[in-house]
Amino acid sequence: RSRQAEVLALTSRMHLTVEEDLRRSGIVEISLIDGRSASRRVDAPLGHLTNPMPRDALIAKFLDCAGHAATEIPRENLERVIDLVDHLEQVGDVAIIADLLSGRS
């Protein structure tokens, strides 16, 4: 994809350190060219049980991820998957979800 080179260039300037005492928390620090810096600590990332992702954001993320699939997944299949997951306890055979996502259905 066209942005892949930009992403790779950015990641080449990143440094990761692991601090055991942070446990599951994380701190992101950004150093700017002009010498300024900013940091932010996250104790519960978005999607964690204590910081759930709003439904509309979750659906948007699912659709975005599906848009990067190796083979195109029809929009109607994606919408059907969303509906099935919303009513999962009523789905007789969850294999239909895999079928919809693989293009077999």
XYZ file of all heavy atoms in Angstrom:
807
model
N 0.845 -1.193 0.000
C 0.000 0.000 0.000
C 0.883 1.247 0.000
O 2.024 1.218 0.451
C -0.918 -0.022 1.203
C -1.709 -1.322 1.261
C -3.103 -1.103 1.730
N -3.765 -2.392 1.849
C -4.764 -2.766 1.090
N -5.238 -1.985 0.177
N -5.323 -3.923 1.258
N 0.363 2.356 -0.436
C 1.174 3.550 -0.615
C 1.703 4.109 0.702
O 2.765 4.706 0.732
C 0.369 4.621 -1.349
O -0.762 4.991 -0.585
N 0.984 3.923 1.802
C 1.434 4.480 3.069
C 2.407 3.561 3.791
O 2.966 3.939 4.806
C 0.237 4.792 3.961
C -0.655 5.858 3.365
C -1.704 6.338 4.300
N -2.276 5.289 5.124
C -3.406 5.398 5.768
N -4.099 6.488 5.696
N -3.864 4.406 6.501
N 2.632 2.369 3.276
C 3.501 1.424 3.970
C 4.918 1.980 4.147
O 5.516 1.836 5.208
C 3.539 0.094 3.247
C 4.299 -0.955 4.022
C 4.211 -2.323 3.387
O 3.722 -2.466 2.284
N 4.677 -3.320 4.087
N 5.467 2.624 3.144
C 6.811 3.184 3.249
C 6.867 4.244 4.345
O 7.841 4.317 5.101
C 7.246 3.768 1.911
N 5.823 5.061 4.444
C 5.773 6.090 5.489
C 5.726 5.456 6.872
O 6.391 5.914 7.798
C 4.560 6.994 5.282
C 4.609 7.810 4.017
C 3.278 8.472 3.706
O 2.305 8.253 4.442
O 3.216 9.211 2.709
N 4.949 4.406 7.002
C 4.840 3.714 8.286
C 6.171 3.084 8.664
O 6.627 3.189 9.811
C 3.718 2.653 8.256
C 3.743 1.790 9.508
C 2.362 3.328 8.089
N 6.815 2.431 7.716
C 8.114 1.815 7.984
C 9.158 2.859 8.368
O 9.981 2.632 9.255
C 8.575 1.000 6.776
C 7.761 -0.269 6.500
C 8.207 -0.909 5.197
C 7.857 -1.245 7.654
N 9.134 4.011 7.724
C 10.072 5.078 8.067
C 9.826 5.567 9.493
O 10.773 5.824 10.247
C 9.949 6.234 7.071
N 8.574 5.678 9.873
C 8.240 6.116 11.229
C 8.672 5.072 12.255
O 9.264 5.405 13.278
C 6.736 6.383 11.346
C 6.229 6.823 12.709
C 6.867 8.141 13.127
C 4.718 6.956 12.686
N 8.402 3.816 11.987
C 8.759 2.776 12.950
C 10.262 2.659 13.121
O 10.729 2.264 14.192
C 8.172 1.404 12.564
O 8.656 1.024 11.283
C 6.660 1.435 12.563
N 11.030 3.021 12.109
C 12.493 2.952 12.242
C 13.009 3.981 13.246
O 14.130 3.862 13.725
C 13.160 3.144 10.888
O 13.037 4.484 10.463
N 12.192 4.971 13.586
C 12.600 5.992 14.559
C 12.018 5.727 15.939
O 12.191 6.539 16.841
C 12.174 7.367 14.065
C 12.824 7.732 12.742
C 12.513 9.126 12.309
N 11.104 9.443 12.455
C 10.425 10.280 11.685
N 11.032 10.884 10.705
N 9.160 10.502 11.888
N 11.330 4.613 16.118
C 10.713 4.282 17.401
C 11.648 3.413 18.233
O 12.416 2.630 17.695
C 9.398 3.540 17.192
C 8.357 4.331 16.481
S 6.939 3.282 16.151
C 5.628 4.426 16.374
N 11.548 3.569 19.539
C 12.332 2.772 20.463
C 11.391 2.227 21.534
O 10.562 2.960 22.062
C 13.431 3.611 21.118
C 14.319 4.278 20.130
N 15.316 3.614 19.458
C 14.336 5.548 19.660
C 15.918 4.447 18.638
N 15.340 5.636 18.735
N 11.521 0.959 21.838
C 10.663 0.305 22.825
C 11.506 -0.105 24.017
O 12.570 -0.706 23.857
C 9.999 -0.935 22.217
C 9.242 -1.827 23.186
C 7.984 -1.125 23.685
C 8.902 -3.146 22.531
N 11.022 0.250 25.193
C 11.628 -0.254 26.417
C 10.527 -0.857 27.258
O 9.390 -0.366 27.253
C 12.347 0.856 27.220
O 11.409 1.891 27.516
C 13.511 1.432 26.449
N 10.842 -1.919 27.949
C 9.864 -2.596 28.798
C 10.225 -2.315 30.252
O 11.360 -2.546 30.673
C 9.860 -4.119 28.523
C 8.908 -4.828 29.470
C 9.496 -4.391 27.067
N 9.248 -1.810 30.974
C 9.420 -1.545 32.399
C 8.465 -2.460 33.151
O 7.251 -2.251 33.124
C 9.152 -0.079 32.711
C 10.140 0.862 32.039
C 9.893 2.322 32.369
O 9.316 2.612 33.441
O 10.278 3.171 31.551
N 8.999 -3.463 33.774
C 8.192 -4.480 34.443
C 7.238 -3.891 35.478
O 6.133 -4.381 35.665
C 9.090 -5.539 35.095
C 9.901 -6.345 34.104
C 9.056 -7.208 33.187
O 7.973 -7.666 33.596
O 9.485 -7.423 32.039
N 7.635 -2.814 36.164
C 6.785 -2.249 37.210
C 5.529 -1.572 36.663
O 4.590 -1.308 37.405
C 7.566 -1.295 38.114
C 8.162 -0.120 37.356
O 8.559 -0.302 36.189
O 8.243 0.976 37.939
N 5.474 -1.311 35.369
C 4.267 -0.726 34.774
C 3.174 -1.769 34.579
O 2.016 -1.420 34.378
C 4.579 -0.080 33.422
C 5.288 1.255 33.457
C 5.592 1.721 32.042
C 4.479 2.299 34.195
N 3.550 -3.029 34.620
C 2.624 -4.143 34.407
C 1.936 -3.981 33.055
O 2.575 -3.980 32.046
C 1.675 -4.294 35.580
C 2.422 -4.571 36.875
C 1.530 -4.753 38.060
N 0.423 -5.647 37.833
C 0.324 -6.866 38.320
N 1.288 -7.342 39.057
N -0.731 -7.610 38.084
N 0.624 -3.793 33.015
C -0.101 -3.678 31.740
C -0.255 -2.235 31.263
O -0.813 -1.991 30.206
C -1.477 -4.330 31.853
C -1.399 -5.823 32.061
C -2.762 -6.441 31.864
N -2.722 -7.858 32.079
C -2.520 -8.757 31.124
N -2.346 -8.366 29.886
N -2.508 -10.037 31.402
N 0.216 -1.296 32.034
C 0.147 0.107 31.633
C 1.207 0.394 30.580
O 2.140 -0.379 30.391
C 0.368 1.018 32.843
O -0.627 0.811 33.812
N 1.058 1.509 29.931
C 2.040 1.916 28.940
C 2.212 3.421 28.949
O 1.300 4.160 29.315
N 3.389 3.850 28.587
C 3.676 5.277 28.468
C 4.240 5.523 27.074
O 5.156 4.827 26.637
C 4.692 5.741 29.536
C 4.131 5.517 30.940
C 5.049 7.215 29.318
C 5.121 5.804 32.055
N 3.668 6.489 26.392
C 4.167 6.891 25.081
C 4.801 8.269 25.253
O 4.179 9.187 25.785
C 3.032 6.959 24.030
C 3.552 7.514 22.716
C 2.409 5.602 23.843
N 6.045 8.382 24.818
C 6.752 9.653 24.863
C 7.155 10.020 23.449
O 7.680 9.185 22.710
C 7.997 9.550 25.747
C 7.669 9.262 27.192
C 8.912 9.089 28.055
O 9.887 8.461 27.586
O 8.881 9.589 29.176
N 6.901 11.254 23.088
C 7.227 11.742 21.751
C 8.202 12.897 21.887
O 7.954 13.840 22.644
C 5.960 12.216 21.007
C 4.983 11.058 20.850
C 6.320 12.821 19.663
C 3.634 11.466 20.304
N 9.298 12.812 21.162
C 10.288 13.891 21.124
C 10.208 14.547 19.753
O 10.348 13.878 18.724
C 11.696 13.335 21.350
O 11.774 12.702 22.602
N 9.995 15.840 19.747
C 9.874 16.586 18.502
C 11.229 17.138 18.068
O 12.153 17.280 18.882
C 8.859 17.715 18.667
C 7.462 17.274 19.113
C 6.581 18.482 19.370
C 6.832 16.365 18.075
N 11.356 17.464 16.821
C 12.612 17.982 16.266
C 13.055 19.248 16.988
O 14.244 19.462 17.210
C 12.469 18.243 14.743
C 12.287 16.920 14.009
C 13.665 18.999 14.196
C 11.963 17.076 12.543
N 12.091 20.091 17.397
C 12.441 21.367 18.047
C 12.802 21.203 19.525
O 13.006 22.183 20.229
C 11.316 22.383 17.877
C 10.031 21.996 18.594
O 10.029 20.991 19.336
O 9.026 22.702 18.419
N 12.877 19.963 20.005
C 13.286 19.730 21.386
C 12.138 19.539 22.366
O 12.346 19.084 23.488
N 10.935 19.910 21.961
C 9.792 19.707 22.852
C 9.464 18.222 22.926
O 9.806 17.454 22.035
C 8.558 20.475 22.353
C 8.706 21.981 22.436
C 7.459 22.701 21.941
N 7.248 22.391 20.523
C 6.048 22.229 19.957
N 4.950 22.359 20.660
N 5.948 21.963 18.673
N 8.784 17.844 24.004
C 8.354 16.459 24.129
C 6.999 16.413 24.809
O 6.576 17.361 25.464
C 9.379 15.637 24.913
O 9.461 16.102 26.237
N 6.334 15.293 24.638
C 5.028 15.075 25.261
C 4.944 13.602 25.634
O 5.579 12.756 25.000
C 3.902 15.450 24.292
N 4.188 13.318 26.676
C 4.017 11.922 27.071
C 2.616 11.709 27.598
O 1.941 12.645 28.031
C 5.044 11.509 28.123
O 4.796 12.171 29.343
N 2.203 10.455 27.545
C 0.882 10.096 28.061
C 0.940 8.655 28.557
O 1.483 7.781 27.890
C -0.183 10.221 26.986
C -1.552 9.863 27.504
C -2.633 10.369 26.622
N -3.913 10.085 27.247
C -5.053 10.154 26.637
N -5.083 10.512 25.375
N -6.162 9.887 27.259
N 0.374 8.450 29.734
C 0.305 7.114 30.312
C -1.098 6.568 30.085
O -2.094 7.273 30.251
C 0.606 7.160 31.805
C 0.506 5.800 32.465
C 0.805 5.865 33.938
N 0.532 4.579 34.555
C 1.308 4.009 35.447
N 2.404 4.616 35.844
N 0.981 2.848 35.956
N -1.171 5.311 29.710
C -2.453 4.637 29.509
C -2.459 3.404 30.400
O -1.614 2.526 30.270
C -2.649 4.230 28.029
C -3.941 3.443 27.858
C -2.628 5.457 27.135
N -3.399 3.384 31.340
C -3.503 2.240 32.253
C -4.453 1.175 31.731
O -4.278 0.003 32.013
C -3.934 2.711 33.646
C -2.852 3.548 34.299
O -1.686 3.115 34.293
O -3.162 4.638 34.809
N -5.451 1.594 30.996
C -6.413 0.651 30.410
C -6.645 1.058 28.959
O -7.345 2.026 28.688
C -7.725 0.668 31.189
N -6.034 0.338 28.034
C -6.178 0.721 26.626
C -7.618 0.583 26.146
O -8.403 -0.180 26.717
C -5.259 -0.257 25.896
C -5.143 -1.423 26.810
C -5.262 -0.882 28.194
N -7.941 1.309 25.120
C -9.265 1.237 24.516
C -9.538 -0.201 24.086
O -8.715 -0.828 23.413
C -9.357 2.173 23.310
C -10.732 2.341 22.679
C -11.727 2.894 23.689
C -10.639 3.267 21.481
N -10.646 -0.735 24.532
C -10.992 -2.118 24.247
C -10.822 -3.015 25.463
O -11.306 -4.145 25.481
N -10.149 -2.514 26.493
C -10.003 -3.262 27.751
C -11.362 -3.313 28.447
O -12.223 -2.466 28.222
C -8.966 -2.562 28.634
C -8.602 -3.323 29.854
N -9.313 -3.229 31.021
C -7.601 -4.202 30.090
C -8.764 -4.010 31.930
N -7.712 -4.614 31.381
N -11.550 -4.317 29.286
C -12.829 -4.442 30.005
C -13.191 -3.184 30.781
O -14.367 -2.840 30.894
C -12.782 -5.635 30.962
C -12.798 -7.011 30.309
C -12.607 -8.096 31.362
C -14.082 -7.231 29.542
N -12.192 -2.484 31.311
C -12.475 -1.270 32.078
C -12.533 -0.018 31.205
O -12.821 1.063 31.710
C -11.422 -1.066 33.189
O -10.134 -0.920 32.578
C -11.419 -2.235 34.163
N -12.252 -0.161 29.920
C -12.301 0.960 28.981
C -12.817 0.457 27.629
O -12.101 0.467 26.634
C -10.903 1.584 28.828
C -10.918 2.858 28.017
O -11.948 3.490 27.821
N -9.756 3.247 27.526
N -14.073 -0.007 27.622
C -14.593 -0.628 26.396
C -14.696 0.356 25.234
O -14.918 1.546 25.418
C -15.974 -1.138 26.808
C -16.346 -0.352 28.014
C -15.069 0.043 28.687
N -14.532 -0.197 24.049
C -14.647 0.594 22.827
C -16.134 0.798 22.528
O -16.902 -0.160 22.567
C -13.964 -0.143 21.677
C -13.944 0.632 20.385
S -13.068 -0.249 19.051
C -11.389 -0.111 19.602
N -16.538 2.024 22.224
C -17.944 2.243 21.861
C -18.311 1.401 20.634
O -17.478 1.156 19.758
C -18.009 3.732 21.527
C -16.817 4.334 22.202
C -15.769 3.267 22.228
N -19.557 0.953 20.581
C -20.010 0.068 19.513
C -19.736 0.639 18.122
O -19.253 -0.053 17.239
C -21.494 -0.245 19.677
C -22.008 -1.236 18.640
C -23.491 -1.575 18.878
N -23.924 -2.632 17.995
C -24.221 -2.470 16.703
N -24.138 -1.276 16.148
N -24.613 -3.504 15.971
N -20.032 1.916 17.923
C -19.821 2.504 16.601
C -18.338 2.522 16.230
O -17.981 2.299 15.071
C -20.439 3.900 16.489
C -19.890 4.904 17.491
O -19.405 4.495 18.565
O -19.943 6.115 17.199
N -17.459 2.734 17.192
C -16.022 2.703 16.923
C -15.564 1.277 16.626
O -14.709 1.057 15.769
C -15.244 3.276 18.104
N -16.136 0.309 17.323
C -15.795 -1.091 17.096
C -16.208 -1.529 15.689
O -15.444 -2.182 14.980
C -16.474 -1.962 18.146
C -16.127 -3.430 18.174
C -14.647 -3.637 18.429
C -16.950 -4.138 19.239
N -17.402 -1.133 15.279
C -17.869 -1.464 13.930
C -16.994 -0.782 12.878
O -16.600 -1.400 11.886
C -19.356 -1.101 13.754
C -20.215 -2.056 14.596
C -19.774 -1.133 12.289
C -21.672 -1.685 14.671
N -16.662 0.486 13.100
C -15.800 1.199 12.156
C -14.440 0.515 12.047
O -13.890 0.369 10.950
C -15.639 2.656 12.585
N -13.899 0.053 13.167
C -12.611 -0.637 13.145
C -12.724 -1.960 12.396
O -11.852 -2.311 11.599
C -12.117 -0.868 14.567
C -10.757 -1.514 14.625
C -10.231 -1.585 16.043
C -8.827 -2.172 16.047
N -8.200 -2.105 17.357
N -13.795 -2.704 12.638
C -14.028 -3.968 11.934
C -14.098 -3.736 10.423
O -13.441 -4.436 9.644
C -15.314 -4.622 12.442
C -15.800 -5.753 11.584
C -15.108 -6.956 11.532
C -16.955 -5.622 10.835
C -15.555 -8.009 10.742
C -17.418 -6.664 10.044
C -16.713 -7.864 9.995
N -14.866 -2.737 10.008
C -15.012 -2.456 8.580
C -13.683 -2.013 7.965
O -13.347 -2.410 6.845
C -16.099 -1.408 8.354
C -17.517 -1.851 8.714
C -18.481 -0.674 8.627
C -17.973 -3.013 7.848
N -12.924 -1.210 8.703
C -11.621 -0.775 8.206
C -10.683 -1.974 8.051
O -10.033 -2.121 7.017
C -11.008 0.256 9.145
C -9.649 0.729 8.662
O -9.570 1.267 7.529
O -8.662 0.546 9.396
N -10.622 -2.819 9.057
C -9.764 -4.014 8.984
C -10.196 -4.919 7.834
O -9.353 -5.428 7.083
C -9.796 -4.781 10.298
S -8.934 -3.937 11.641
N -11.490 -5.109 7.677
C -12.004 -5.958 6.601
C -11.643 -5.379 5.230
O -11.448 -6.120 4.271
C -13.516 -6.124 6.732
N -11.528 -4.062 5.153
C -11.146 -3.419 3.903
C -9.725 -3.723 3.474
O -9.345 -3.455 2.339
N -8.932 -4.288 4.377
C -7.543 -4.637 4.066
C -7.376 -6.144 3.864
O -6.243 -6.632 3.806
C -6.620 -4.161 5.188
C -6.610 -2.672 5.347
N -5.883 -1.837 4.530
C -7.273 -1.869 6.212
C -6.087 -0.588 4.900
N -6.926 -0.582 5.904
N -8.476 -6.860 3.764
C -8.401 -8.312 3.557
C -7.751 -8.625 2.219
O -7.796 -7.822 1.283
C -9.811 -8.917 3.611
N -7.161 -9.804 2.134
C -6.474 -10.220 0.903
C -7.434 -10.267 -0.280
O -7.058 -9.968 -1.406
C -5.807 -11.571 1.117
N -8.671 -10.673 -0.015
C -9.695 -10.658 -1.062
C -10.845 -9.778 -0.585
O -11.155 -9.734 0.603
C -10.237 -12.076 -1.352
O -10.751 -12.638 -0.148
C -9.140 -12.975 -1.888
N -11.452 -9.087 -1.516
C -12.522 -8.159 -1.165
C -13.714 -8.907 -0.583
O -14.156 -9.929 -1.115
C -12.959 -7.366 -2.392
C -13.978 -6.300 -2.061
C -14.339 -5.434 -3.248
O -13.631 -5.477 -4.267
O -15.346 -4.725 -3.157
N -14.228 -8.372 0.523
C -15.418 -8.937 1.164
C -16.578 -7.988 0.855
O -16.510 -6.795 1.175
C -15.232 -9.055 2.688
C -13.992 -9.898 3.004
C -16.482 -9.648 3.335
C -13.579 -9.850 4.467
N -17.629 -8.489 0.223
C -18.762 -7.611 -0.108
C -19.345 -6.933 1.133
O -19.425 -7.533 2.202
C -19.775 -8.570 -0.733
C -18.971 -9.741 -1.198
C -17.843 -9.861 -0.229
N -19.723 -5.691 0.968
C -20.281 -4.906 2.084
C -21.482 -5.607 2.710
O -21.640 -5.605 3.926
C -20.667 -3.506 1.581
C -21.296 -2.599 2.606
C -20.312 -2.200 3.668
N -20.946 -1.377 4.685
C -20.357 -0.358 5.270
N -19.123 -0.033 4.956
N -20.983 0.322 6.183
N -22.329 -6.241 1.883
C -23.505 -6.916 2.443
C -23.090 -8.088 3.348
O -23.763 -8.382 4.333
C -24.488 -7.369 1.358
C -23.913 -8.289 0.305
C -23.311 -7.565 -0.897
O -23.134 -6.337 -0.874
O -23.003 -8.261 -1.880
N -21.978 -8.744 3.024
C -21.471 -9.811 3.892
C -21.027 -9.236 5.239
O -21.309 -9.803 6.295
C -20.295 -10.532 3.244
C -20.701 -11.450 2.120
O -21.709 -11.220 1.438
N -19.907 -12.484 1.886
N -20.334 -8.104 5.190
C -19.860 -7.479 6.425
C -21.028 -7.043 7.308
O -21.002 -7.238 8.525
C -18.946 -6.303 6.100
C -17.667 -6.645 5.341
C -16.923 -5.379 4.945
C -16.787 -7.584 6.149
N -22.038 -6.471 6.679
C -23.214 -6.052 7.449
C -23.939 -7.252 8.047
O -24.428 -7.196 9.178
C -24.132 -5.213 6.569
C -23.524 -3.864 6.253
C -24.321 -3.040 5.262
O -25.424 -3.465 4.863
O -23.828 -1.967 4.890
N -23.984 -8.337 7.319
C -24.608 -9.572 7.830
C -23.804 -10.122 9.011
O -24.380 -10.567 10.000
C -24.703 -10.605 6.711
C -25.312 -11.909 7.121
C -26.838 -11.830 7.192
N -27.353 -13.168 7.463
C -28.047 -13.488 8.548
N -28.358 -12.569 9.421
N -28.452 -14.709 8.732
N -22.469 -10.087 8.920
C -21.616 -10.531 10.029
C -21.888 -9.691 11.273
O -22.022 -10.224 12.382
C -20.127 -10.496 9.642
C -19.229 -10.654 10.864
C -19.819 -11.573 8.618
N -21.976 -8.389 11.104
C -22.268 -7.504 12.243
C -23.586 -7.898 12.885
O -23.696 -8.020 14.107
C -22.275 -6.024 11.801
C -20.855 -5.601 11.407
C -22.839 -5.124 12.896
C -20.779 -4.276 10.679
N -24.609 -8.128 12.060
C -25.920 -8.518 12.581
C -25.849 -9.871 13.305
O -26.426 -10.042 14.376
C -26.945 -8.574 11.450
C -28.332 -8.892 11.965
O -28.853 -8.104 12.791
O -28.883 -9.935 11.555
N -25.139 -10.821 12.720
C -25.012 -12.139 13.350
C -24.306 -12.045 14.698
O -24.727 -12.678 15.670
C -24.266 -13.102 12.424
C -25.038 -13.580 11.199
C -24.103 -14.261 10.212
C -26.168 -14.512 11.605
N -23.244 -11.270 14.761
C -22.519 -11.114 16.021
C -23.393 -10.419 17.061
O -23.377 -10.781 18.243
C -21.180 -10.375 15.799
C -20.528 -10.001 17.126
C -20.238 -11.230 14.966
N -24.183 -9.452 16.625
C -25.108 -8.774 17.545
C -26.124 -9.738 18.144
O -26.644 -9.502 19.229
C -25.853 -7.640 16.830
C -25.025 -6.378 16.715
O -23.993 -6.260 17.409
O -25.416 -5.499 15.914
N -26.427 -10.808 17.434
C -27.436 -11.776 17.878
C -26.828 -13.176 17.974
O -27.476 -14.167 17.650
C -28.628 -11.771 16.911
C -29.236 -10.416 16.772
N -28.900 -9.552 15.752
C -30.147 -9.764 17.540
C -29.582 -8.432 15.894
N -30.340 -8.528 16.975
N -25.611 -13.242 18.412
C -24.839 -14.485 18.403
C -25.526 -15.634 19.126
O -25.485 -16.782 18.669
C -23.460 -14.248 19.011
C -22.394 -15.282 18.729
C -22.195 -15.489 17.236
C -21.081 -14.876 19.382
N -26.205 -15.325 20.207
C -26.872 -16.390 20.970
C -28.018 -17.038 20.191
O -28.465 -18.122 20.534
C -27.375 -15.867 22.326
C -28.380 -14.743 22.256
C -27.774 -13.361 22.009
O -26.554 -13.195 22.159
O -28.543 -12.455 21.635
N -28.448 -16.407 19.115
C -29.529 -16.954 18.298
C -29.018 -17.632 17.019
O -29.805 -18.155 16.235
C -30.510 -15.842 17.931
C -31.160 -15.196 19.145
C -31.868 -13.896 18.794
O -31.917 -13.480 17.646
N -32.409 -13.247 19.816
N -27.696 -17.614 16.813
C -27.113 -18.197 15.603
C -26.952 -19.698 15.806
O -26.301 -20.140 16.748
C -25.746 -17.544 15.281
C -25.102 -18.199 14.071
C -25.918 -16.043 15.056
N -27.569 -20.470 14.925
C -27.515 -21.923 15.043
C -26.143 -22.496 14.772
O -25.703 -23.427 15.442
N -25.434 -21.944 13.797
C -24.111 -22.454 13.431
C -23.227 -21.255 13.100
O -23.414 -20.591 12.073
C -24.230 -23.387 12.230
C -22.905 -24.025 11.834
O -21.866 -23.715 12.458
O -22.919 -24.832 10.887
N -22.253 -20.993 13.960
C -21.403 -19.813 13.772
C -20.472 -19.943 12.563
O -19.835 -18.969 12.172
C -20.579 -19.495 15.043
C -21.493 -19.101 16.182
C -19.672 -20.640 15.415
N -20.435 -21.106 11.932
C -19.613 -21.280 10.723
C -20.065 -20.325 9.624
O -19.264 -19.981 8.738
C -19.675 -22.718 10.244
N -21.298 -19.873 9.681
C -21.800 -18.932 8.671
C -20.976 -17.641 8.688
O -20.770 -17.017 7.641
C -23.315 -18.629 8.872
C -23.849 -17.726 7.749
C -23.576 -17.953 10.212
C -23.884 -18.355 6.397
N -20.461 -17.255 9.855
C -19.653 -16.042 9.953
C -18.362 -16.214 9.159
O -17.988 -15.351 8.363
C -19.393 -15.666 11.430
C -20.724 -15.323 12.112
C -18.400 -14.525 11.535
C -20.626 -15.136 13.611
N -17.697 -17.341 9.347
C -16.467 -17.609 8.591
C -16.772 -17.693 7.095
O -15.992 -17.207 6.268
C -15.831 -18.898 9.079
N -17.902 -18.307 6.746
C -18.280 -18.392 5.342
C -18.479 -17.015 4.727
O -18.027 -16.752 3.604
C -19.559 -19.226 5.186
C -19.355 -20.703 5.463
O -18.182 -21.154 5.489
O -20.364 -21.400 5.670
N -19.163 -16.142 5.438
C -19.399 -14.775 4.935
C -18.095 -14.005 4.773
O -17.920 -13.255 3.816
C -20.339 -14.016 5.872
C -21.800 -14.474 5.825
C -22.556 -13.930 7.045
C -22.466 -13.999 4.547
N -17.175 -14.189 5.698
C -15.920 -13.458 5.642
C -14.958 -14.029 4.596
O -14.076 -13.330 4.118
C -15.252 -13.435 7.015
C -16.010 -12.628 8.066
C -15.347 -12.779 9.439
C -16.085 -11.150 7.671
N -15.145 -15.291 4.238
C -14.251 -15.921 3.257
C -14.820 -15.848 1.836
O -14.130 -16.225 0.888
C -14.007 -17.369 3.620
O -15.199 -18.109 3.483
N -16.060 -15.429 1.700
C -16.684 -15.345 0.386
C -17.368 -16.630 -0.040
O -17.829 -16.737 -1.170
N -17.446 -17.601 0.864
C -18.106 -18.878 0.518
C -19.629 -18.782 0.621
O -20.310 -19.699 0.233
C -17.601 -19.993 1.432
C -16.151 -20.376 1.183
C -15.778 -21.625 1.947
N -15.938 -21.481 3.369
C -14.941 -21.322 4.235
N -13.698 -21.290 3.781
N -15.159 -21.202 5.515
N -20.120 -17.697 1.160
C -21.567 -17.600 1.329
C -22.106 -16.352 0.672
O -21.428 -15.404 0.445
C -21.900 -17.586 2.817
O -23.278 -17.613 3.015
